Amino acid sequence: MKIKNNYIKIMKNFLIKNLYKFLIVISLILLPILSYLLYIYIDNKSQYINPNKVLENIELASFDEKTSIEHITNLENILASNFNKNLCYPYGTFLATRFLSSQGHIQESIDMLNIYIQQSKNSILKNVALFRKSGLLLEQKKYEEAIFQLNNPNKYFENLFNDRKADILICQGKIKEGLFLLNKILEKLDKNDPLIKIISLKIDALKSL
């Protein structure tokens, strides 16, 4: 019994004397791991509290063909849910929808634009979204719905919207209506407007049909 008690006493003294060494070793092992985990946590957390970080991630994802629809949609949802009054939201939407449509996911792109259009109070950026949506609907050959997006343009978008309307009418085989609209645009354009050359070329091409 005495030997056993002496052994226990020796072990306790040993542990007490060497405890700090043990703690130092453990710290050296755990500190890098904990630091890395903390970095990952902060980086991921910032994605939810910093709209610029979300936009940056969307931009990076939109230039990577390996990006999944789920990933870019999740990032866009963060902007839509938490930062819909921040300018990062429309720009993120335009980047995300461009990526989705380039990958052939037209309907997903339209759905994303719809959410932005419903929430947006910025007339100019909302018109950009409507213009993009009309182009996607045109790709789906949903002509009437595409034209409907262009019915109430901001004054800065009137000529651009009418030009798109003319394109849709022409795609429907309504050449006369398309020509009429293009000529109407031409009458309104300033002499230095770069649209003049484009509209004139379209008119000349249609007249030769």
Side-chain angles (χ1 to χ4, degrees), residues 2-209:
K2 188 176 181 180
I3 295 173
K4 184 178 180 181
N5 289 336
N6 287 335
Y7 174 76
I8 293 172
K9 188 176 181 180
I10 291 169
M11 288 303 297
K12 281 183 178 180
N13 290 333
F14 175 80
L15 288 173
I16 291 170
K17 289 180 180 179
N18 293 279
L19 181 61
Y20 76 96
K21 295 180 181 178
F22 175 74
L23 291 175
I24 290 172
V25 172
I26 293 297
S27 298
L28 290 173
I29 294 172
L30 290 180
L31 189 59
I33 297 173
L34 292 173
S35 298
Y36 177 74
L37 291 174
L38 182 62
Y39 168 79
I40 295 296
Y41 173 78
I42 293 173
D43 188 57
N44 288 335
K45 194 69 177 175
S46 68
Q47 176 173 279
Y48 294 90
I49 61 176
N50 186 342
N52 293 309
K53 179 68 174 178
V54 185
L55 181 61
E56 179 186 337
N57 288 339
I58 289 176
E59 185 173 12
L60 291 171
S62 68
F63 287 102
D64 185 354
E65 293 182 356
K66 296 179 182 179
T67 297
S68 67
I69 306 174
E70 291 77 13
H71 177 59
I72 205 160
T73 301
N74 287 338
L75 290 171
E76 171 64 13
N77 286 340
I78 294 169
L79 285 179
S81 301
N82 302 287
F83 307 107
N84 53 50
K85 294 181 180 179
N86 190 291
L87 279 177
C88 288
Y89 177 35
Y91 296 135
T93 300
F94 300 148
L95 284 170
T97 52
R98 183 189 66 183
F99 171 80
L100 290 174
S101 60
S102 71
Q103 298 297 308
H105 302 289
I106 306 298
Q107 190 55 52
E108 289 84 350
S109 185
I110 290 173
D111 293 340
M112 194 174 284
L113 285 169
N114 281 336
I115 295 171
Y116 173 71
I117 290 166
Q118 289 168 8
Q119 294 186 346
S120 177
K121 293 182 180 179
N122 184 310
S123 176
I124 291 177
L125 292 174
K126 186 173 182 177
N127 271 237
V128 173
L130 287 166
F131 187 77
R132 290 194 173 199
K133 182 183 173 184
S134 72
L136 294 172
L137 289 166
L138 178 57
E139 284 189 48
Q140 293 184 325
K141 298 183 179 180
K142 295 180 179 179
Y143 303 120
E144 298 304 322
E145 195 176 344
I147 286 178
F148 181 76
Q149 311 305 313
L150 308 168
N151 283 338
N152 297 296
N154 178 290
K155 63 180 181 179
Y156 301 109
F157 286 81
E158 187 175 352
N159 291 326
L160 193 62
F161 273 38
N162 283 332
D163 179 45
R164 172 62 59 77
K165 277 187 180 180
D167 290 341
I168 296 169
L169 290 168
I170 292 162
C171 287
Q172 289 178 283
K174 298 177 180 179
I175 307 299
K176 289 183 180 179
E177 291 92 331
L179 265 172
F180 175 80
L181 196 51
L182 288 171
N183 280 305
K184 189 177 177 182
I185 298 168
L186 205 57
E187 290 172 6
K188 292 182 178 181
L189 289 175
D190 183 87
K191 291 181 180 180
N192 297 319
D193 197 307
L195 263 179
I196 285 182
K197 290 184 179 180
I198 298 171
I199 301 297
S200 298
L201 286 170
K202 287 184 180 181
I203 291 171
D204 291 341
L206 291 170
K207 282 180 178 179
S208 64
L209 294 177

